[in-house]
Structures are given as structure tokens and as C-alpha cells.
Amino acid sequence: MGQIRRRCKRLIKELALPAVTDLRGMCDVVAARVARPVHLVPMSLGGVVSGMTAVTDDGYWVFYELRTSPWHQAHIVLHELSHLLLGHGQDPAVTEEALKIWTPSVDVATAMRRMGLTMGFARHHGYDNLAERETEVLGTLLMERVAPSAAEPELPLEGQAAELAAALGPALQHVRLERDRAAGGDGAADDRDGAGRAGGGGSRV
């Protein structure tokens, strides 16, 4: 853990961050570091995950739970940004497996084409514990530099963000129903239940 903290502190020093910034300011810093735009997309993720990152030709798209506190939103986003900063690579096999689950009615190639995604989709699934620990350490250190803003209002998404959200929404619902069935439920948990789980620290990908 000592080596991880030292590496993360060196990385933060290299970023030359301002004393305090907001999430969008942090996204700008990360975008400059990874040489690709980073877009934030707040949406209800139904308690399946609290955050996730997709990759398209237009950059990285960080989806994070809308129905939770500003501090939790900041933690979710910084976790995703930390994966990018640490250079955690994509795994095509993991991406394919995720898409088979999330789009069971169509083949993977068609699903990716429709969603406009590269093989970087689901990029954070299946990392080992060391990588996740490293990501959590960096995210926690970055949190010291971020002043969470007020919670995002629930506004209609536009453009490519809306297209990606429209594709992910049914997929997340499918995963949630399958999870509920596996747990012996009837899949009829209401939205408040899902929002509560997400707000309590649902998984991130």
C-alpha cells in the first residue's frame, strides 16, 4: 500500500492540479493527460452499478448515478477517472462477455455498432484486487482536491450521451432483473430500492 500511495501522489503532482476544482475541471485535467475528451453523463443506473465508463471515437463517457448525494457522485466519478489516469487497459474478452449479458438478443458486433462503442466498453470489469486498490487510493487522494457541486438536475440527455444512455438503460434493467431472480426475488423492486442501493455504494465498473 505504501508503494501504491507513493505512485498515486507522484501522479497527482505531475497533474499540477489547482488547490480546489470541481468534477468538470478534473475531467478537463484528465482529458489533457489521456489526450481524449472526457464526458460526464449523470443518469439513474437502477442500483446495478454506481458508475461505469464507455469508450467511443469521441472520447470517454463516464456514467454515474444521478440519484445519490453530491459527495457520492464525486467519489464515483473520481474512481472512474482514476482508472483512466492509471492507464488500466481494456480487455476485449471481458467487453464481449459484458455485452453478451447486457444485449442478449443481438450479437456482440451488432450491439457494439449500434451503441457506437469500441472494445474499450466495460473497460473496468474484471480487474484484479491490486488494480482496484490502486484506483481507490488515487480516487481518495483526488477527492481532497475536489469540491462537489450541487447534485445534477434530472435533465434530458442530448446527442451521443442520449444515444448511449438509451442503449444502456434496457441493458441495466435486464441485469437487475436477472440479479433479482438469482437472489430469489420477483424482479419487482421499485426505483427507490435501486436508488438506495446505488447511494449506499453500489459497484463501479
Side-chain angles (χ1 to χ4, degrees):
M1 284 300 293
Q3 290 180 341
I4 289 175
R5 287 186 65 86
R6 286 192 291 273
R7 181 190 176 194
C8 290
K9 286 182 176 180
R10 284 196 301 270
L11 177 54
I12 290 175
K13 186 175 182 179
E14 292 172 6
L15 294 176
L17 296 169
V20 179
T21 186
D22 58 13
L23 285 179
R24 296 190 185 278
M26 188 68 74
C27 284
D28 291 340
V29 171
V30 175
R33 177 82 177 190
V34 301
R36 297 189 73 175
V38 178
H39 310 279
L40 290 180
V41 187
M43 65 177 287
S44 176
L45 297 172
V48 178
V49 292
S50 57
M52 60 191 300
T53 299
V55 189
T56 71
D57 292 338
D58 297 318
Y60 296 103
W61 300 79
V62 177
F63 294 83
Y64 64 98
E65 178 57 51
L66 177 68
R67 300 178 183 179
T68 190
S69 70
W71 281 99
H72 188 215
Q73 289 177 344
H75 184 250
I76 295 165
V77 171
L78 292 175
H79 181 94
E80 297 300 312
L81 296 181
S82 294
H83 274 300
L84 300 180
L85 287 169
L86 291 165
H88 292 161
Q90 297 90 20
D91 184 342
V94 170
T95 299
E96 182 174 347
E97 180 182 354
L99 284 171
K100 283 179 179 177
I101 295 172
W102 290 1
T103 56
S105 61
V106 295
D107 66 272
V108 171
T110 301
M112 295 190 72
R113 186 166 58 251
R114 287 181 181 176
M115 297 170 76
L117 299 172
T118 70
M119 289 309 288
F121 180 66
R123 62 189 307 279
H124 301 154
H125 280 280
Y127 281 137
D128 58 32
N129 290 333
L130 179 61
E132 283 299 325
R133 285 201 300 270
E134 187 178 43
T135 302
E136 282 296 312
V137 169
L138 181 56
T140 299
L141 292 174
L142 289 175
M143 193 77 176
E144 298 174 0
R145 304 294 189 95
V146 170
S149 56
E152 295 278 359
E154 192 163 0
L155 299 175
L157 298 175
E158 299 178 349
Q160 191 165 7
E163 294 174 7
L164 287 170
L168 291 174
L172 291 170
Q173 184 179 24
H174 171 78
V175 173
R176 183 180 176 188
L177 289 173
E178 289 298 311
R179 182 194 62 192
D180 290 344
R181 290 193 188 99
D186 60 6
D190 62 24
D191 286 342
R192 289 174 299 172
D193 180 46
R197 280 197 298 270
S203 60
R204 289 175 298 273
V205 295

